[in-house]
Amino acid sequence: MTAPSVDPRDAVLVDFGGVMTTSVLDAFRAFGATFGYPDLPITLLSTDEIARKLLADHESGRIDADAFDNGFAERLRAHGADVDPGALSARMQSALARDEATIELIQGIRAAGVPVALVSNAFGRDCYAGFDLTALADVVVISSEVGIRKPSRRIYQIACDGLGVQPNRAVMIDDLRQNLDGAARLGIAGVLHTSAEDTGRQLAERFRIG
């Protein structure tokens, strides 16, 4: 078995939803299941142009949660699901829980002296409730606050600038491949997150982090 190539890096960028928490996609499916269409929310957010624009505008801070909720409820109704728009984005995330193992992993990385930036696409009104983001990362970059969302290269550059590191010295941890592809355009290495154990192993073996 060939040993993984080693590419030592000095800093970590990390996603929030689906990394610091359980799977966002699973939460969206659980929400869809409540009205009999488990895959419809993800399908619309992936393929429906109106729903995709609603998500992009919301994550970038151009529309608020209420505007997203009302607009997305209309798209769901257009595809056969009669859904109340009230607190819809909160209900979409109601199945999310903290991923304590990953949080512990990131805390250990910081304790070892590796700088960490949280790079997150905001969603809903209270998606960070219950989390002290400043205790999780040295730099916090939220899409709705900077007006840029992943996978734009600019949001990763903001994070690297905040940490004072060059992109080619950083690693991005994310549960979505397209976000890692965006970071790679700056030279940021990627770890596709599936579990704390696997991410910790990749950081140690591939990048000598942790």
Side-chain angles (χ1 to χ4, degrees):
M1 185 174 183
T2 304
S5 59
V6 177
D7 178 15
R9 301 263 171 155
D10 307 317
V12 168
L13 279 56
V14 61
D15 179 36
F16 177 78
V19 177
M20 300 290 194
T21 74
T22 52
S23 170
V24 173
L25 298 181
D26 286 349
F28 286 2
R29 290 189 185 97
F31 166 70
T34 64
F35 52 84
Y37 295 84
D39 295 323
L40 184 58
I42 296 172
T43 298
L44 290 181
L45 293 173
S46 301
T47 63
D48 181 80
E49 288 305 314
I50 297 175
R52 285 163 54 90
K53 186 175 189 306
L54 284 167
L55 181 62
D57 286 348
H58 177 46
E59 290 181 340
S60 301
R62 293 187 289 272
I63 64 173
D64 63 14
D66 288 340
F68 173 84
D69 292 352
N70 289 325
F72 195 52
E74 289 181 5
R75 298 313 297 155
L76 290 168
R77 284 195 292 268
H79 288 79
D82 188 9
V83 178
D84 182 350
L88 184 139
S89 52
R91 285 151 47 213
M92 290 175 70
Q93 300 179 92
S94 62
L96 285 179
R98 294 169 64 95
D99 187 323
E100 298 292 354
T102 302
I103 291 170
E104 183 178 345
L105 171 66
I106 298 303
Q107 289 174 332
I109 288 169
R110 289 187 73 204
V114 178
V116 173
L118 182 73
V119 187
S120 173
N121 284 350
F123 181 76
R125 187 172 286 102
D126 300 309
C127 64
Y128 305 110
F131 290 82
D132 182 354
L133 300 186
T134 59
L136 291 175
D138 302 285
V139 169
V140 177
V141 183
I142 304 299
S143 62
S144 59
E145 296 177 0
V146 298
I148 306 162
R149 67 195 283 260
K150 296 180 293 183
S152 169
R153 285 174 287 185
R154 289 183 293 162
I155 196 168
Y156 307 110
Q157 188 66 62
I158 290 170
C160 289
D161 290 346
L163 292 178
V165 300
Q166 293 298 314
N168 63 5
R169 301 303 304 169
V171 178
M172 178 75 204
I173 304 167
D174 205 293
D175 62 320
L176 297 179
R177 172 61 64 186
Q178 63 263 31
N179 292 336
L180 297 180
D181 290 343
R185 291 195 289 268
L186 277 180
I188 299 171
V191 170
L192 184 63
H193 179 81
T194 57
S195 69
E197 181 180 8
D198 181 68
T199 292
R201 178 188 58 77
Q202 290 195 58
L203 290 174
E205 293 181 359
R206 296 172 55 196
F207 306 111
R208 294 295 182 257
I209 292 175

